[in-house]
Amino acid sequence: MVSDVHGNSQALGAAGDGADALICLGDLVLFLDYADHSRGIFPELFGVENADLIVELRTARRFEEARELAGRLWAGLEARGFTEGKEAAIEAAVRKQYAELFAAFSAPTYATYGNVDIPRLWPEYAGPGTTVLDGERVEIGGRVFGFVGGGLRSPMRTPYEIDDETYAAKIAAVGEVDVLCTHIPPDVPELCYDTVARRFERGSSAILDAIHAVRPAYHLFGHVHQPLARRMRIGATECVNVGHFASTGTPWALEW
């Protein structure tokens, strides 16, 4: 199990070694590395100094100022003759990362989207050994796994955020499963609070309701890079943040 890969294609290539299957819970793309501001799409386009500034603003929860800064930076690129536009520039950079990351997946891989991913591009890069699931179920080794990708609406406005009702419908569509796999955690403070970013990420109340109703053996997720609690039992369900793979390079193993 891996999540929040954020460009770490080198470690991803070995993540499935010795396993019957690799499961990826999203966030393949690296827009900006909050630990190393020189890495990612943002500093490639705008430089490290601007990356330092936007991280400072976001960390201080000054999201409107961060959006204004990004707007000025994009306008500045266009004024200097950068004609392909914001969306085209981001997509070109994402495509470059996806080519490397999907090539690193071992077979079989089961994957769902993170909030920074661009789902419409995945069919172009997912090979025959990679199964992409969102609001769907699959049997792996005799257990039923359900997958729900993406994140909920937030001030960060990342590419794949959806409204609460649509997300809840995907959780409902998965139904009864042995293992529930999502990108984001349930709406539990200890699982949603990032101790380094010093803020709560958005968790899902629909996931929490499903845990109480369906009682899967496991709920596996990522999204919160440095959580206050990495795992917690809710009733019969063991909830596990499988880790910030971009920094650890180490998968979390589920055995039965």
Side-chain angles (χ1 to χ4, degrees):
M1 309 283 177
V2 300
S3 186
D4 299 86
V5 176
H6 293 302
N8 193 348
S9 57
Q10 183 174 0
L12 186 62
D17 289 355
D20 295 298
L22 175 66
I23 290 177
C24 178
L25 302 182
D27 271 10
L28 297 181
V29 172
L30 178 63
F31 280 98
L32 177 58
D33 189 332
Y34 278 60
D36 180 355
H37 302 169
S38 67
R39 298 182 64 244
I41 294 171
F42 190 93
E44 287 176 7
L45 292 170
F46 303 116
V48 177
E49 289 185 1
N50 285 315
D52 292 340
L53 181 54
I54 204 162
V55 168
E56 179 183 341
L57 291 172
R58 287 178 175 177
T59 301
R61 302 187 66 79
R62 294 157 61 186
F63 296 115
E64 190 60 39
E65 292 176 66
R67 283 192 287 272
E68 290 173 359
L69 171 61
R72 292 196 302 272
L73 291 172
W74 281 110
L77 279 183
E78 292 173 358
R80 296 199 305 270
F82 190 87
T83 57
E84 62 181 333
K86 176 181 177 180
E87 298 302 326
I90 291 175
E91 182 171 318
V94 169
R95 285 181 177 278
K96 181 180 178 182
Q97 291 188 16
Y98 277 167
E100 296 177 359
L101 291 158
F102 277 92
F105 280 142
S106 55
T109 290
Y110 301 89
T112 196
Y113 317 113
N115 60 292
V116 303
D117 287 311
I118 302 178
R120 65 180 175 80
L121 298 181
W122 280 37
E124 297 182 40
Y125 296 94
T130 299
T131 302
V132 179
L133 302 125
D134 187 18
E136 299 164 281
R137 301 147 48 103
V138 66
E139 184 176 314
I140 306 172
R143 288 193 176 190
V144 178
F145 286 67
F147 291 80
V148 175
L152 297 174
R153 304 285 190 204
S154 78
M156 301 294 281
R157 297 186 182 178
T158 50
Y160 190 45
E161 294 181 352
I162 59 179
D163 61 76
D164 290 51
E165 293 75 17
T166 302
Y167 193 88
K170 290 200 295 181
I171 292 290
V174 165
E176 294 191 8
V177 294
D178 300 306
V179 183
L180 177 60
C181 298
T182 64
H183 178 66
I184 62 175
D187 189 14
V188 176
E190 295 89 339
L191 299 176
C192 294
Y193 187 72
D194 191 308
T195 60
V196 175
R198 292 179 296 176
R199 66 170 180 259
F200 287 97
E201 301 290 352
R202 285 211 62 193
S204 167
S205 58
I207 292 175
L208 186 58
D209 291 344
I211 288 171
H212 287 301
V214 176
R215 297 165 58 87
Y218 289 92
H219 173 223
L220 308 176
F221 56 91
H223 187 55
V224 184
H225 293 176
Q226 296 88 198
L228 185 62
R230 291 201 172 273
R231 61 193 303 161
M232 174 186 294
R233 181 166 287 276
I234 300 176
T237 303
E238 188 72 14
C239 301
V240 182
N241 185 322
V242 302
H244 181 210
F245 187 77
S247 63
T248 68
T250 303
W252 185 82
L254 176 64
E255 299 183 25
W256 70 92

